[in-house]
Structures are given as C-alpha cells and as structure tokens.
Amino acid sequence: MPVNAFLTSLPMKYLTLLAAALSVAQAAPPNHTTLSECLVDAQVPSLGPCSTGWNQTIIPYNLRANYTPVLLAIPKTVNHVSAAVKCAKAYGAKVQARGGGHSYAAMGLGGTDGSFIIDMEKFKSISLYNNIATVGAGVRLGNLATYLYSSGKRALPHGLCPGVGIGGHALHGGFGMTSRMWGTTLDNIVEMQVVLADGSVAITSASQNSNLFWALRGAGSSYGIVTYFKFATKSAPTVATYFQYQYYSPSIDIKTKTILAMQEFGKAMAPKELALRIFFSNDTFQVYGVYWGPKTKWEKAIAPLLTHLPIAGRVSSVPGQEMEWLPTLVQLNNGGQLTQPLSYNMHDTFFAKSIVTPGMGHLGEATLKNFFTYLATDGQKAPVNWWVMYDLYGGAGSMISAPTLSDTAYAHRDSLFTIQIFSTPPGQAPPYPESGYSFVDGIVDSITKYQNETIFKAYTNYIDHTLTKEQAWDLYYGQEQMVKLNKVKDAVDPTRVFWNPQAIRA
Ligand SMILES: Cc1cc2nc3c(=O)[nH]c(=O)nc-3n(C[C@H](O)[C@H](O)[C@H](O)COP(=O)(O)OP(=O)(O)OC[C@H]3O[C@@H](n4cnc5c(N)ncnc54)[C@H](O)[C@@H]3O)c2cc1C
C-alpha cells in the first residue's frame, strides 16, 4: 500500500499519536555535533587521525598517491554502511568507498585530502548457488578465482593481479584474459545491493532500478556504495594453451611489423577464445597469450598471425603449452600465488596512462614508427623504468564488443586494442620524479598527437589523476554516455555525496 493511502486509512487517534511522535523526533536535537560522533552514535566502527593504526590504514597501494582522509569507517553490515552515508550527508562530507585499494590514483582514499572513506574490507563473503556467485565488495580477485574454481570449477572474467579488489574493478570495467570470450567483469553482473546518497538501500538489476544498474556498471564510484555483487559465473575451461614469443633488441621495423600483423589478425581472424597481448620494455618485447581450448585448436587459430610475425630478433618461444585453469592464471600472474591474505599489505610506486584505440582507428605504420622512435630515443634515457602493454579487446566475435552503449555505462565497446603505459621510479619506491610525468605524456602523444585524425579514448580502471575532470569524462565515457550519467547522478545523488576529483558531476 502506498504511504499516503496507508496514512489516510489510519483511525484519527493513531494519526494524532503518530504526528506527536514525529514532531518529538524532529524536534529532538542530534546528540552529536561532528561526523565522528555521528558514527559513534550509530555504532559504526571507524578510525580517525588519532586512532591506533591510522597511519598504516591509510597507506595507498600506489605510494605515489598519498592522501589523508578525514575519517575512515569500517562497516561490518549494510546497516553500518547506510548509517555512515547518512552521517556523511548530514555533515557534508565527500564519500568514496575503498574496495581493494588498487586505484592507480588512490580514488579509494578519495583521490584528494579530506574525504570520508567507507572501507569495505569486512565484506569478504562469497557464495555460489545455481551458478550465481554472491560476492562481498571487499573480496580480492585471487580469492574470488580460487573460491569459484573450488566450488564446482566455476570462473569469471577479471584482471590478473590477485590483490585487486572486486569493488573498483567490476564497477569500472574489469578486463582479463578471458574477456574476449566472456566480456568484462561488469558484463557478468546480474544484481548489486547499493547504499545510496540518502542512506537508503537499493537492489539494482536489469529489472530493478535499471538506470542505476546501467550507471553503476562503468561509473560505479559516483553513484553509491555497492555492498555485494551477484555474478553469472562461467564453466572454467578444462584446458588452456599458453603461448609466448620473445624478442631481444628488436629494430623499429620489427616492432612496427609485429603490431601491424597483430592489428590485421586481431581485427578479423582472432577467435574470441584467444587472448593476445604484446608487452614492450626497453630492450625486449613479448607476444603472448592464451587460447582457451586445446593446443590443436590453438594451432589453427594462431596460424594466420604466425605467418606474419617477424622471426628476426626472436630469442625464445613457447609454441603452445597446455595447462589447466588455475595454473594458467598463476602463469599469467608471473608465477605469483592467487590467494591473498586478509591482512593484505602490498605496494608499488607508479604512474600510468592508457590509450583506447577505436575499432576503425588502427595505428598506422608512420604512427608506430614515430612511437617506437620515441621509445628508442627518450625511452633509453628516461627518468623512470617503463613498459607498454597492448591488449587485444575487440575484433571479430569479441564479447567485449557485443553489448551496446545503452547496455552499460562502460563506453569502450568498439575498441580494438587498449594500450597501457606504465612507469616506476628506480627501486619502485617514492619519490616519483616530476620528469616521469612528461616522459609518459610523451609516449601517449607520440601516438595520439601524431595520428590526430583518430579519436582515442582512455580506460577508467587505469585512472589518470593528471586529467581534468572534463578530460576524464570525455576520455572515459564520451558525450553520449555523459548525458545519461549526469541525469542518473542528478536523480540519485543531487548533493554529490559520492565524489572524487573526476567523479560524475564533480
Ligand atoms: C597491480 C594492478 C593490476 C591491475 N590489473 C588490471 C587488469 O588486469 N585489468 C583491469 O581491468 N584492471 C586492472 N587494474 C586496475 C584495477 O581494475 C582498478 O585499479 C580498480 O579500480 C581497483 O579496484 P579496487 O577496489 O582494488 O580499488 P579502490 O582503490 O578501492 O577503488 C577504486 C575506485 O572504485 C571505487 N569503489 C571501490 N569499491 C567500491 C564499492 N564497493 N562501491 C562503490 N565504489 C567502489 C572507489 O571509491 C574508487 O573510486 C590493476 C590495478 C593494479 C594496481
């Protein structure tokens, strides 16, 4: 029954009593005067700058991006999350969730000083029923993969680094080596529970709060705090074929030919079961990947690429090695274990950018030569160590390209390759040198400014704090998605409770 109809159906004496109770409730002053007291009153566990463990708790994964929040709530229940958001709203605090804390720009710490952080680390439960996994927002990818496989050989597409949190990963994309076959992580979400800006709790799915469901899958951090995800899991492949071709000191010509061959192959010939990557560092590069099936099928699938891959400069190869599912994930994680401890404490120091190439905007030969010349000149004397990674996203049959822009807010459906440019200071410890930023910008410019007739984009999960919010909105979502993202934001969070420097309506 609607609330108004319910009220008019009550006898008068109950209405009088209700009105009196409401006026007492409204008149009663809050018994707290600060955000911190509000949290204490609501019994939400929290830490502040004077708490034991505060300094340790606010260390970001990326030590380059240090920010100090005002307070950090560590809720154990959805009611705690709701109470924490209500307190934040009452005191005008800007809120961000922290999932696995792996944001490149520490957006899980607000991406700036003075945010109120709701840390989802206690939301670690995973369960599986009828092949639907219910996953707490504090789960890390490695623990998710091992749980799913041990519970009926199930799996999901997601990234390779086992410490990354499902929260940020699934709400902003989630690319992994099975994504051409199964889509991104967010394409497999069927339901989420989310705490909204007014503290209310909503279920979102294709049939409930569908606009919010759309916006959360691509720009989630701007819309609420997701407490759990439901994913439609997949049957893990029984066999995978890993392959790798390594080159040492290759010429610019060899590198250019390799990328041109991969583009042609990727566009029309790579089956969706094939994951294909090329990884460049100073003196070497590797073409590698996985075919999610037996070696005999891989041989057929890879043959058109192999005939065009240069032989000169090749120093070693793994021409197809069959493996089971979990060992393949370990191999792709360079041998690192998948399961992660509850007291996770790993760090890196880095700055990265990304280039999303659109389907028709292949990199031309002259662009590639310009790019490799920059790497061979400026790259040799760079103030940082660096690598560049090309991942095949699109091409014939890719499930990343299957959904449309109206299916999810994630915007890069027609991308052929996504390129990540990653840099670390020597020793991988702070400080990150100022000159590193311009060097990395130079790598990006050697492609995007050189081939300026192509509209390149960028990937939200490789978030780049040096972009203005307007640049970020354009590169991560584009104009068409922004119109709807702004509308949904205005509807569910008009006072901009969920905020970071590049959030929707920041
Ligand atoms: C070593 C490493 C490897 C990576 N590999 C890959 C890869 O292979 N593929 C790929 O696609 N990406 C990869 N990434 C990028 C990664 O997907 C993103 O950094 C991701 O956003 C991290 O999520 P998180 O929860 O760990 O981070 P956090 O810093 O906790 O969160 C990131 C953003 O998501 C928001 N958020 C987190 N949880 C919630 C929630 N429950 N509700 C609402 N908002 C939330 C935060 O507020 C923040 O804005 C990698 C990152 C690293 C550091």
Side-chain angles (χ1 to χ4, degrees):
M1 183 189 290
V3 176
N4 281 346
F6 168 72
L7 288 178
T8 44
S9 72
L10 284 176
M12 192 47 140
K13 82 172 178 182
Y14 290 116
L15 274 180
T16 316
L17 281 175
L18 186 62
L22 279 176
S23 73
V24 168
Q26 276 161 11
N31 45 6
H32 46 77
T33 54
T34 62
L35 173 58
S36 163
E37 285 176 12
C38 184
L39 295 172
V40 171
D41 278 1
Q43 298 184 333
V44 179
S46 66
L47 292 179
C50 298
S51 311
T52 312
W54 170 255
N55 289 340
Q56 190 63 27
T57 310
I58 62 164
I59 298 176
Y61 174 78
N62 183 359
L63 299 174
R64 184 188 56 77
N66 279 297
Y67 301 112
T68 306
V70 279
L71 279 174
L72 194 130
I74 311 174
K76 292 182 180 160
T77 64
V78 63
N79 286 344
H80 284 163
V81 179
S82 164
V85 172
K86 283 181 185 160
C87 287
K89 190 170 159 72
Y91 288 94
K94 294 298 177 198
V95 179
Q96 280 287 272
R98 180 157 73 171
H102 274 58
S103 163
Y104 283 19
M107 293 303 187
L109 283 173
T112 187
D113 289 332
S115 305
F116 172 45
I117 304 308
I118 301 187
D119 191 324
M120 300 304 286
E121 69 164 20
K122 302 287 184 208
F123 289 68
K124 289 257 195 289
S125 70
I126 316 176
S127 60
L128 190 68
Y129 181 70
N130 279 347
N131 294 332
I132 300 291
T134 304
V135 181
V139 168
R140 296 185 191 275
L141 301 183
N143 296 337
L144 177 59
T146 43
Y147 177 92
L148 291 180
Y149 192 71
S150 66
S151 318
K153 302 196 170 165
R154 305 302 296 176
L156 279 170
H158 52 67
L160 300 174
C161 174
V164 168
I166 192 67
H169 192 66
L171 291 173
H172 304 99
F175 170 80
M177 297 299 253
T178 49
S179 286
R180 295 190 71 246
M181 179 169 71
W182 291 340
T184 63
T185 312
L186 62 73
D187 293 322
N188 294 275
I189 302 174
V190 292
E191 184 184 301
M192 284 170 270
Q193 184 184 65
V194 56
V195 175
L196 298 174
D198 60 0
S200 63
V201 180
I203 300 294
T204 64
S205 66
S207 57
Q208 291 182 80
N209 298 303
S210 56
N211 282 340
L212 181 59
F213 189 57
W214 174 89
L216 283 168
R217 289 172 303 148
S221 48
S222 295
Y223 293 89
I225 311 278
V226 172
T227 56
Y228 73 72
F229 299 87
K230 285 194 178 186
F231 293 101
T233 63
K234 309 284 185 186
S235 179
T238 48
V239 60
T241 305
Y242 175 80
F243 60 95
Q244 189 200 85
Y245 301 93
Q246 172 129 15
Y247 293 74
Y248 185 70
S249 231
S251 65
I252 287 177
D253 195 46
I254 289 177
K255 291 189 251 193
T256 303
K257 280 197 175 119
T258 304
I259 297 280
L260 289 174
M262 285 176 63
Q263 284 186 171
E264 284 313 302
F265 171 74
K267 174 173 70 174
M269 290 169 269
K272 65 180 191 306
E273 293 80 11
L274 192 82
L276 182 62
R277 167 175 283 177
I278 182 163
F279 181 92
F280 293 100
S281 54
N282 236 332
D283 290 322
T284 67
F285 77 81
Q286 293 137 31
V287 176
Y288 71 98
V290 175
Y291 180 83
W292 299 106
K295 185 170 175 179
T296 45
K297 288 197 171 174
W298 168 76
E299 281 165 345
K300 274 196 195 128
I302 203 79
L305 175 65
L306 287 187
T307 53
H308 290 100
L309 270 194
I311 306 249
R314 199 184 288 177
V315 289
S316 69
S317 58
V318 180
Q321 183 186 344
E322 288 190 346
M323 297 175 124
E324 290 183 0
W325 171 248
L326 287 184
T328 312
L329 298 190
V330 171
Q331 167 77 33
L332 292 169
N333 185 37
N334 296 320
Q337 64 169 24
L338 297 178
T339 41
Q340 298 299 303
L342 291 183
S343 55
Y344 183 90
N345 189 25
M346 286 179 67
H347 306 280
D348 197 351
T349 305
F350 62 97
F351 173 60
K353 287 178 99 78
S354 62
I355 304 173
V356 172
T357 67
M360 289 303 139
H362 301 155
L363 304 186
E365 186 170 345
T367 310
L368 288 166
K369 287 197 164 147
N370 189 56
F371 164 64
F372 287 124
T373 303
Y374 182 85
L375 293 182
T377 51
D378 294 59
Q380 289 293 331
K381 47 182 192 292
V384 284
N385 298 323
W386 55 267
W387 51 254
V388 178
M389 195 162 75
Y390 276 53
D391 275 308
L392 179 62
Y393 271 49
S398 169
M399 294 307 289
I400 300 177
S401 315
T404 65
L405 292 186
S406 56
D407 290 324
T408 67
Y410 178 80
H412 307 311
R413 296 302 183 180
D414 75 337
S415 154
L416 186 62
F417 278 88
T418 289
I419 306 169
Q420 181 174 187
I421 300 114
F422 191 95
S423 66
T424 55
Q428 282 179 269
Y432 182 91
E434 272 307 308
S435 51
Y437 295 107
S438 50
F439 166 68
V440 172
D441 283 340
I443 300 183
V444 173
D445 292 349
S446 73
I447 291 178
T448 57
K449 291 207 169 143
Y450 191 85
Q451 192 169 309
N452 60 10
E453 70 281 9
T454 303
I455 298 172
F456 294 105
K457 297 289 181 182
Y459 176 31
T460 331
N461 256 339
Y462 302 152
I463 201 158
D464 170 6
H465 81 286
T466 65
L467 300 174
T468 64
K469 60 189 177 187
E470 290 82 7
Q471 286 171 329
W473 296 333
D474 175 49
L475 290 173
Y476 298 148
Y477 303 107
Q479 230 178 344
E480 188 179 335
Q481 299 300 71
M482 280 307 297
V483 171
K484 186 164 169 190
L485 283 168
N486 285 336
K487 270 193 198 154
V488 181
K489 179 76 173 174
D490 292 345
V492 297
D493 185 12
T495 58
R496 323 283 189 251
V497 171
F498 300 109
W499 189 95
N500 69 50
Q502 297 176 355
I504 306 302
R505 292 281 200 217

